[in-house]
Amino acid sequence: MTEPSREARADALLSAGQDERNRRLKIFLGAAPGVGKTYAMLSAARELKRQGVDVVIGLVETHGRAETAALLEGMEVLPRRAVRYRDRDFTEFDLDAALARKPAVLLVDELAHSNLPGGRHERRWQDIAELLDAGIEVYSALNVQHLESLNDQVRRITGVTVRERVPDAFLDRARDIVLVDLPPRELIQRLKQGKVYVPETAAAALDAFFSPTNLAALRELSVDTVAGHVESDLRGAMLARGGVMPVRRRVLAAIDGHAQSEYLVRVARRIAERRGAPWSVVFVDTGARLEPARRERLDSAMRLARRLGGDAVVLRGHAVADELLAHAEREGVGQILLARTRERLFARMVGRSLTQQLLRRGAHLELTIVATPAERAASRRRLRLPNLPGGVGRRGEYLYATLASLAALALAFIGERYLSVANLSLIFLTAVLVVAVRTRMAVAVYTAILCFVGYNFFFAPPRYSLEIANSDDVLAVCLFLVAALVCSRLATRLALQVESLRTAHVHARALLTLGQRLASSTDAEGIRTVGAAALAQALRCEAALLARDAGGALQAAATAPREWPLQTQDLAAADWCERHAEQAGRYTETLNAAPCWLLPLGGEDHPLGVAALRFAPDAGEPDPERRSMALAMVQDIGQALARARMADELEGARVQGETERLRNALLSSVSHDLRSPLASMIGAAGTLVSYEDKLPRDERRQLLEAILGEGQRLDRYIQNLLDMTRLGHGTLKLNRDWTDAAEIVAAAVHRLRKLFPALRVDTELPPDTVLLHVHPALIEQALFNILENAARFSPDGEPVSVAVRVERERLLLEVSDRGPGIPEDERARIFDMFYSVSRGDRASQSTGLGLAICRGMIGAHGGSVEALPREGGGTTIRVSLPLPEPAASPA
């Protein structure tokens, strides 16, 4: 016993809160038909209706019982869905009508019922699961013999194999389980009175299922089931309140694909439920080739484990005991369940059987050996007809081994002229190795025995007799047999390991290739194209990745290896698969009439589409290796799509933030740079209007010049805004013409001197004429913006220098000032619109657009602009423009 940690208590409280919200199922459980489950369910529903609860009857089977039918009076009953099956008309529960009506409580009888083909789900419990997910509270009825984990026990008790079964994990969703009980004598009396079945059926039932012994045993099973769930609820409640609970260790069932595998899975589920422990089923793949029947049994057991709520795990390794013990240590396993199997005599003698290894090395584990009826029957058969070690092989393998032995015998007859008798054994040993590498262990042992007999009979003296005259030859022949057996074992194990490594390499290579291709894809479209191609190539099937279009409908966004259409059934199953984040279609129990196997790419909260895999119509269900590879690849594709979506969302957030920043900066700039000149102009104009006759001529001229200057400033600001708009929309047209770089510099300097008459500008021009094929006005405007920026930050009395030079087929224009300079981390951002700092393109009368416009204009000509530090302090803005090729220059 251990005190739960604060984290465990918090998890338990959170789980309890979620259970209160999510567990909306109430099950009326009985030991057999006729105990009154439907009657009790209807009685509870009528009481709820009397209390004002919205209760609706989804489906109730009265089986002709008048007292049960009477309880339906006054209740709202949903119409059933008509189904045509094998030229007969049937009615089924209408799931869509129930979801559309969405009452507070819905009654759906016969939880274990199998739906007719054509419905959304194969089983009724799956319909109820969808109702629960939609937030509807459901009442249903169930007989205990329909529980999956009790199937073997029910078959042993009654001799009847129940086909309609409900996974035990589904009962974990029940908030309440009501045990409806009736003593066996009273139930048999009801049966005789015709209250359960019609008389003809009742007589047969009394002779078979409804015997007093069977009913008593089923009654005990139902009580144990309810008690187990009560104990589980109590355990969760105590843990949430801080009660002391025992440490829960995982229960592990090790299966091998033989007939007892499903029985062992059910036993593991029952043991884990009683202990309130997690559980899992493990198969250790040693690389041995499994016969189709054994592979099918293994897959069936794995599916059963998943249905019952356990984990299905496949381990790979050549030593079963090592892999089981390592997995047990990693996962915190406290109990290992093994089926009782026939151990080889040699393995028992040397203590190398799986059971003995686990007992010797797993001292901290509880080891449970389960004897199954199938194993006992098989043991009796083995007593009557013993088999070769490793099982009976295919005829072709033994024929191949016989031919190899005969070939070795022929080569030995040829080689006895040149080799000694001892060396002839190497020929037979080679034959054993060849057979061991290409077949199974049993066939290799068969070959070793044949070669041993042939070597002894034909070559060991006395020849043509199994007797051995020389004692030394006895040792040699015995050593040959031992060497042959050991070599066959090692060769077989090596071949199996190579095959296992080859399979693992194929899977790893497929995942690595997919990861590399996904890494090179930057958008969702590219990811889907790459993912569909990788799935089709690795799984040897047709693959499609579906995504929702603008109208919200699922459509094939990428297909491989060629374009192929999806059927309506596939699209309907894909829609359900994405909404519920669960597999659907072929190889599943949901909408399995669809030809495609459909896998969700995202979660229920973040759907990212669906992967559709279409195999050949006659192809069987994918083996666990292909299934696990498909799931792993789909998971990688989903994660890549999630990353792409996150990148898009981050980029959208960044753009939105930048847009908001620019909007605020624009409003601030417009508010300052429009209102300031307008205020000056209005003030000067108002003074002239009010005091025109009283002002001296010089003052009037100063006011008029102020109006003119502020108007020109306002005109430049509006022109800058228009230029930025044209640059942003890509509508700025370049009217290229040949011009001299010196003329552009002279024109820009001339404009600057009108604004800053006292500023000294030093120019350094190349001695030769440098022709540019540009839009002269735009380049002049860009250079003027740089000069104006430098002039505003240049100290009084300090010059602004302009240098023009040619370097590596580019023209460099450098404008330098001796201002405060620009920090290194801000030099790239001064070319952004409205970037507000106290240095760079900022001044009391700056708009924050000059250098941004400059970069746009220069960039439109294929040039670049950068800010550099100047030696001795200050900043240099360098403009780089491409020079035209000599052949393109005007003559």
Side-chain angles (χ1 to χ4, degrees):
M1 307 290 282
T2 181
E3 183 74 24
S5 64
R6 296 178 62 182
E7 292 78 4
R9 291 180 59 190
D11 291 341
L13 284 170
L14 181 60
S15 176
Q18 291 176 343
D19 287 345
E20 289 297 322
R21 296 189 297 270
N22 299 331
R23 296 171 68 176
R24 302 183 178 92
L25 176 63
K26 187 171 185 176
I27 295 178
F28 293 82
L29 182 69
V35 297
K37 302 180 299 298
T38 305
Y39 189 91
M41 181 175 65
L42 287 172
S43 299
R46 292 186 69 87
E47 177 61 23
L48 289 177
K49 185 174 179 61
R50 189 184 66 80
Q51 298 174 7
V53 179
D54 182 18
V55 182
V56 173
I57 306 296
L59 182 141
V60 164
E61 298 289 355
T62 63
H63 298 289
R65 301 164 191 158
E67 63 272 17
T68 304
L71 294 178
L72 292 174
E73 296 180 3
M75 303 289 291
E76 179 184 351
V77 181
L78 291 178
R80 300 191 183 188
R81 177 174 58 90
V83 178
R84 184 77 175 174
Y85 180 64
R86 293 183 178 178
D87 298 328
R88 295 180 61 187
D89 294 325
F90 298 90
T91 58
E92 285 278 17
F93 170 61
D94 195 337
L95 175 60
D96 292 326
L99 291 170
R101 174 63 175 81
K102 198 173 184 179
V105 178
L106 182 71
L107 273 65
V108 184
D109 203 2
E110 297 189 355
L111 180 62
H113 173 75
S114 296
N115 297 326
L116 291 174
R120 185 179 308 168
H121 300 293
E122 185 178 357
R123 307 284 184 181
R124 181 165 292 166
W125 65 264
Q126 295 173 305
D127 294 338
I128 295 178
E130 188 166 345
L131 292 170
L132 297 174
D133 292 337
I136 302 174
E137 185 173 349
V138 179
Y139 283 16
S140 189
L142 178 70
N143 289 322
V144 73
Q145 67 263 26
H146 293 290
L147 282 176
E148 183 72 71
S149 65
L150 300 176
N151 186 258
D152 293 306
Q153 286 184 267
V154 171
R155 183 170 61 249
R156 288 202 310 275
I157 293 171
T158 65
V160 177
T161 300
V162 179
R163 302 297 180 186
E164 296 178 326
R165 301 192 288 266
V166 177
D168 292 55
F170 184 74
L171 264 67
D172 295 338
R173 303 190 63 172
R175 184 188 60 214
D176 299 310
I177 298 180
V178 179
L179 179 60
V180 182
D181 190 29
L182 198 65
R185 185 173 299 177
E186 294 184 21
L187 179 57
I188 292 174
Q189 187 65 29
R190 283 174 53 85
L191 190 67
K192 292 179 179 179
Q193 294 172 357
K195 296 182 179 181
V196 180
Y197 296 127
V198 295
E200 295 79 5
T201 307
L206 283 171
D207 293 336
F209 193 86
F210 282 80
S211 67
T213 304
N214 290 349
L215 293 177
L218 292 174
R219 192 182 184 195
E220 182 179 354
L221 286 180
S222 61
V223 172
D224 288 344
T225 300
V226 174
H229 281 269
V230 170
E231 183 182 356
S232 177
D233 292 342
L234 177 61
R235 184 183 297 109
M238 290 182 64
L239 185 60
R241 296 177 182 178
V244 178
M245 296 300 297
V247 177
R248 300 191 308 168
R249 301 295 301 276
R250 180 176 289 271
V251 176
L252 179 68
I255 63 174
D256 54 8
H258 290 299
Q260 75 278 5
S261 296
E262 289 195 14
Y263 179 82
L264 193 64
V265 170
R266 294 188 175 96
V267 171
R269 160 69 192 190
R270 291 197 297 270
I271 292 176
E273 184 179 17
R274 293 192 193 102
R275 297 189 174 191
W279 65 286
S280 57
V281 174
V282 167
F283 169 71
V284 180
D285 184 4
T286 60
R289 288 181 289 273
L290 300 181
E291 297 177 356
R294 184 179 174 189
R295 167 62 67 183
E296 178 59 31
R297 288 192 296 267
L298 177 63
D299 294 344
S300 178
M302 290 296 194
R303 290 194 298 270
L304 175 62
R306 287 189 287 266
R307 287 201 306 270
L308 294 178
D311 297 330
V313 182
V314 176
L315 305 175
R316 288 180 173 83
H318 67 276
V320 177
D322 293 343
E323 297 301 326
L324 287 177
L325 291 172
H327 180 76
E329 184 176 356
R330 287 194 306 269
E331 301 297 328
V333 172
Q335 182 179 9
I336 296 181
L337 273 66
L338 296 173
R340 180 179 176 272
T341 58
R342 181 175 62 91
E343 304 285 1
R344 294 186 178 92
L345 177 61
F346 179 76
R348 291 199 302 269
M349 290 174 60
V350 300
R352 293 295 303 275
S353 69
L354 176 60
T355 305
Q356 290 171 325
Q357 291 183 68
L358 293 177
L359 285 172
R360 185 173 62 253
R361 298 166 56 190
H364 61 288
L365 296 173
E366 178 183 348
L367 192 63
T368 303
I369 310 299
V370 180
T372 66
E375 176 58 29
R376 288 194 293 270
S379 298
R380 289 192 293 269
R381 287 194 300 268
R382 282 195 291 267
L383 289 175
R384 294 192 298 268
L385 183 62
N387 293 330
L388 288 173
V392 179
R394 293 185 294 271
R395 292 180 180 179
E397 292 179 338
Y398 286 102
L399 178 61
Y400 173 76
T402 304
L403 292 176
S405 301
L406 292 176
L409 187 63
L411 289 175
F413 274 115
I414 296 173
E416 68 174 337
R417 302 176 184 177
Y418 314 102
L419 301 174
S420 64
V421 174
N423 290 333
L424 290 178
S425 63
L426 298 178
I427 297 176
F428 292 99
L429 190 60
T430 302
V432 174
L433 290 176
V434 170
V435 173
V437 169
R438 298 179 61 88
T439 61
R440 298 175 297 110
M441 180 61 189
V443 183
V445 172
Y446 168 77
T447 308
I449 295 174
L450 281 182
C451 290
F452 166 75
V453 173
Y455 175 67
N456 186 14
F457 186 83
F458 290 103
F459 300 102
R463 302 182 67 172
Y464 309 111
S465 171
L466 295 178
E467 295 182 4
I468 302 175
N470 193 342
S471 59
D472 293 338
D473 292 337
V474 173
L475 179 61
V477 171
C478 293
L479 288 177
F480 165 76
L481 178 60
V482 172
L485 292 175
V486 171
C487 290
S488 64
R489 174 62 177 171
L490 293 177
T492 304
R493 175 178 291 184
L494 179 61
L496 295 178
Q497 290 178 358
V498 170
E499 184 67 24
S500 178
L501 289 174
R502 184 181 293 114
T503 302
H505 174 73
V506 170
H507 293 181
R509 185 65 182 173
L511 293 175
L512 177 62
T513 302
L514 175 62
Q516 291 173 342
R517 294 179 180 177
L518 291 177
S520 62
S521 302
T522 57
D523 58 349
E525 182 179 358
I527 291 173
R528 291 190 177 96
T529 301
V530 166
L535 286 170
Q537 181 180 2
L539 301 174
R540 297 187 297 279
C541 67
E542 293 177 319
L545 295 184
L546 284 66
R548 296 202 177 270
D549 57 16
L554 276 175
Q555 299 293 337
T559 58
R562 61 186 180 279
E563 186 174 352
W564 53 277
L566 279 87
Q567 300 182 12
T568 305
Q569 292 173 315
D570 292 325
L571 295 175
D575 182 75
W576 188 93
C577 172
E578 185 189 46
R579 286 189 290 107
H580 295 81
E582 295 180 10
Q583 300 179 28
R586 190 177 180 183
Y587 310 131
T588 71
E589 296 180 349
T590 301
L591 298 172
N592 52 15
C596 292
W597 181 25
L598 300 155
L599 305 172
L601 290 172
E604 191 171 358
D605 297 332
H606 302 284
L608 296 168
V610 175
L613 306 177
R614 186 169 72 180
F615 295 86
D618 56 346
E621 184 173 351
D623 55 39
E625 287 79 10
R626 294 181 71 189
R627 179 182 287 271
S628 62
M629 183 167 65
L631 295 176
M633 295 180 72
V634 167
Q635 184 179 14
D636 288 350
I637 296 170
Q639 291 175 350
L641 288 173
R643 289 194 298 269
R645 172 182 286 186
M646 185 177 297
D648 291 340
E649 292 175 351
L650 290 175
E651 179 64 17
R654 188 193 66 81
V655 171
Q656 183 178 2
E658 186 68 15
T659 302
E660 184 67 18
R661 187 189 68 81
L662 290 176
R663 187 184 72 85
N664 294 334
L666 177 61
L667 291 176
S668 176
S669 177
V670 169
S671 175
H672 176 269
D673 294 305
L674 282 180
R675 293 182 62 185
S676 295
L678 284 175
S680 299
M681 294 168 66
I682 292 172
T687 302
L688 288 173
V689 170
S690 301
Y691 305 102
E692 181 180 3
D693 297 336
K694 301 178 181 179
L695 293 174
R697 180 182 180 87
D698 294 340
E699 293 185 7
R700 288 200 305 270
R701 183 174 181 83
Q702 290 177 1
L703 291 174
L704 291 172
E705 289 177 350
I707 293 174
L708 178 61
E710 295 296 334
Q712 291 173 343
R713 174 187 168 194
L714 187 60
D715 178 69
R716 288 196 306 273
Y717 177 74
I718 294 174
Q719 185 62 41
N720 284 340
L721 287 177
L722 293 175
D723 289 342
M724 283 309 304
T725 302
R726 288 196 293 269
L727 286 170
H729 290 279
T731 58
L732 185 67
K733 295 182 179 180
L734 299 181
N735 298 319
R736 293 180 181 268
D737 195 5
W738 294 100
T739 184
D740 185 3
E743 293 181 2
I744 293 178
V745 174
V749 171
H750 179 70
R751 288 177 57 187
L752 182 69
R753 282 175 176 158
K754 291 182 179 180
L755 287 178
F756 302 94
L759 180 66
R760 194 180 83 200
V761 180
D762 297 334
T763 58
E764 180 183 346
L765 302 176
D768 299 328
T769 300
V770 180
L771 292 179
L772 297 173
H773 192 241
V774 295
H775 190 147
L778 293 182
I779 300 300
E780 178 189 332
Q781 180 64 40
L783 182 57
F784 173 77
N785 288 348
I786 296 174
L787 288 170
E788 181 184 12
N789 185 78
R792 295 189 185 280
F793 290 95
S794 183
D796 295 338
E798 293 292 339
V800 172
S801 61
V802 181
V804 181
R805 70 177 189 276
V806 177
E807 184 178 299
R808 297 196 191 96
E809 298 181 354
R810 297 188 76 86
L811 177 70
L812 300 182
L813 294 171
E814 295 182 345
V815 178
S816 304
D817 64 67
R818 296 189 179 277
I822 304 172
E824 183 177 359
D825 57 344
E826 298 183 7
R827 289 173 192 157
R829 302 201 63 185
I830 65 171
F831 298 100
D832 295 342
M833 287 190 299
F834 307 112
Y835 182 66
S836 298
V837 292
S838 59
R839 296 166 292 274
D841 188 25
R842 297 276 81 76
S844 60
Q845 297 181 346
S846 173
T847 64
L849 293 172
L851 293 182
I853 293 173
C854 172
R855 182 178 61 176
M857 291 178 173
I858 297 299
H861 288 81
S864 61
V865 185
E866 59 179 334
L868 303 171
R870 178 178 178 178
E871 294 184 6
T875 301
T876 296
I877 304 295
R878 176 183 292 171
V879 177
S880 175
L881 288 169
L883 290 174
E885 297 181 3
S889 301

